[in-house]
Amino acid sequence: MRSAEVNSFTLTELRFPPHLLQEEYEPELPYVALVLDGSLAKSFPGRKIELDETSGITMPAGATHGARFGPHGARVVIVKAKSGGTPAGSLDRLVELRGRGLNWLAWRLAEELY
């Protein structure tokens, strides 16, 4: 795990092993997650979202979810507000992000950690 603080945000790169099953939890603060490589499925009550290196997700605070990571695990970049009073506090909806440009953005953010 690598992490850095930038203004009122924390930028973190996380690595997850293959086939990890992450228990349900509720994030206290909203965040944006972009997949660098690998795959995972986020599970919400009544909904499952598959993510890979061309996708990401906005996660509102309190959105109860778990995750199952793919056969190669996953590397993910997380951008999280340090407190609810920042502009990220307006991330009040769960939104799937899709597109090839997201992988470029994820890697560009990860490079800031090295």
Side-chain angles (χ1 to χ4, degrees):
M1 179 175 96
R2 295 182 188 271
S3 186
E5 292 186 11
V6 180
N7 296 327
S8 59
F9 297 92
T10 301
L11 177 63
T12 306
E13 178 188 339
L14 301 171
R15 295 172 188 241
F16 298 93
H19 304 291
L20 174 70
L21 178 60
Q22 187 179 54
E23 297 293 323
E24 283 190 348
Y25 72 99
E26 290 183 26
E28 292 181 25
L29 296 171
Y31 64 88
V32 176
L34 301 172
V35 180
L36 290 163
D37 56 42
S39 62
L40 64 135
K42 292 247 186 205
S43 298
F44 303 86
R47 185 174 182 187
K48 182 177 175 182
I49 299 175
E50 302 279 343
L51 301 169
D52 63 17
E53 59 273 347
T54 63
S55 58
I57 193 167
T58 64
M59 187 68 61
T64 301
H65 69 285
R68 179 179 298 275
F69 294 85
H72 303 290
R75 287 174 58 199
V76 180
V77 170
I78 304 288
V79 181
K80 183 184 294 189
K82 288 198 271 182
S83 71
T86 65
S90 64
L91 294 174
D92 59 356
R93 291 186 320 128
L94 177 68
V95 177
E96 293 180 58
L97 307 170
R98 303 280 175 190
R100 293 184 326 176
L102 287 173
N103 193 250
W104 174 88
L105 178 59
W107 281 101
R108 181 66 185 102
L109 289 168
E111 287 173 7
E112 293 298 319
L113 298 171
Y114 295 93

